Amino acid sequence: MLGYVEEPEKLRVALSPIRRRLLELLREPSSATQLAAALELPRQRVNYHLRELEKAGLIALVEERQRRGFIERILRAKAATLVVDPAVMGHAFTDIQDQYAAEHLVDVAAGTVRDVARMQSAADADGKRLLTFTLEAEVRFAEPGDVHRFTDALTEAVRRTIEQFDTENGRPYRLIAGGHPASRRTEGEQG
């Protein structure tokens, strides 16, 4: 399950190393006693961090059990993975319309993360599947000017394809195509 974080305070709560570790361990239901043993920390300290995570809505009570004169609370992370809205991280991108500007690519990608994460969270909550598609490829350009010629050709091909499938009353999908230099880590990888 995916959790979407768009509130700065919720992110702040989740960022400390101990809380990140707790969220990781709480992918499976666990008690403060079990977590304290796994982290080799005092139970009181773990309980403090669990209360903060619970107040932030990042973990939830699964059940309560009677144990040796006290009630043991079993908790679980609400999401296995947290996706953070890039705007929360303080990036205030301007509305740049230059299709070759890196800032515009980052802004579009951030908007995509935000929109898809919100829709995925809603779909998860409703027990539904979010239908998406992804195209990913690598192209090698001989000359810098080839990037512009490629972009023009791709734009025309996409325009023709959209004309073929676009229906006035159909369900709208957003198509994003972007390109950036491959990092050294991905240059040798084949997808």
Side-chain angles (χ1 to χ4, degrees), residues 7-62:
E7 302 91 9
E9 182 59 25
K10 192 180 277 192
L11 179 62
R12 185 196 63 74
V13 168
L15 278 181
S16 79
I18 187 171
R19 292 179 186 168
R20 286 195 320 259
R21 184 72 178 121
L22 285 168
L23 287 169
E24 183 181 316
L25 291 171
L26 284 169
R27 289 178 179 160
E28 298 297 325
S30 193
S31 70
T33 303
Q34 293 166 322
L35 293 165
L39 296 173
E40 299 178 348
L41 292 171
R43 188 172 49 85
Q44 293 81 1
R45 184 172 175 200
V46 169
N47 266 326
Y48 166 76
H49 291 291
L50 290 174
R51 281 192 302 275
E52 294 299 309
L53 289 169
E54 196 170 12
K55 279 194 285 188
L58 297 171
I59 62 173
L61 180 66
V62 174

Side-chain angles (χ1 to χ4, degrees), residues 9-166:
E9 182 59 25
K10 192 180 277 192
L11 179 62
R12 185 196 63 74
V13 168
L15 278 181
S16 79
I18 187 171
R19 292 179 186 168
R20 286 195 320 259
R21 184 72 178 121
L22 285 168
L23 287 169
E24 183 181 316
L25 291 171
L26 284 169
R27 289 178 179 160
E28 298 297 325
S30 193
S31 70
T33 303
Q34 293 166 322
L35 293 165
L39 296 173
E40 299 178 348
L41 292 171
R43 188 172 49 85
Q44 293 81 1
R45 184 172 175 200
V46 169
N47 266 326
Y48 166 76
H49 291 291
L50 290 174
R51 281 192 302 275
E52 294 299 309
L53 289 169
E54 196 170 12
K55 279 194 285 188
L58 297 171
I59 62 173
L61 180 66
V62 174
E63 68 175 298
E64 292 181 329
R65 301 178 191 159
Q66 190 68 31
R67 299 265 296 179
R68 292 177 265 170
F70 71 94
I71 296 176
E72 180 180 55
R73 301 178 78 232
I74 306 299
L75 301 161
R76 183 178 191 150
K78 285 188 172 180
T81 304
L82 292 178
V83 175
V84 178
D85 184 331
V88 172
M89 300 305 288
H91 298 289
F93 299 111
T94 58
D95 188 19
I96 298 171
Q97 296 303 318
D98 179 358
Q99 67 181 357
Y100 300 107
E103 293 85 358
H104 185 59
L105 176 60
V106 171
D107 193 28
V108 169
T112 302
V113 168
R114 181 176 46 253
D115 293 346
V116 173
R118 283 179 181 158
M119 289 184 285
Q120 181 65 51
S121 291
D124 286 345
D126 292 342
K128 296 180 178 176
R129 183 172 179 254
L130 180 65
L131 181 60
T132 64
F133 63 92
T134 304
L135 304 172
E136 187 175 349
E138 185 173 301
V139 60
R140 293 174 183 89
F141 298 110
E143 303 290 330
D146 289 349
V147 172
H148 297 289
R149 288 189 296 281
F150 175 82
T151 302
D152 292 342
L154 181 60
T155 300
E156 180 58 25
V158 169
R159 185 193 59 73
R160 285 192 314 268
T161 306
I162 288 172
E163 284 177 356
Q164 181 181 355
F165 288 91
D166 188 44

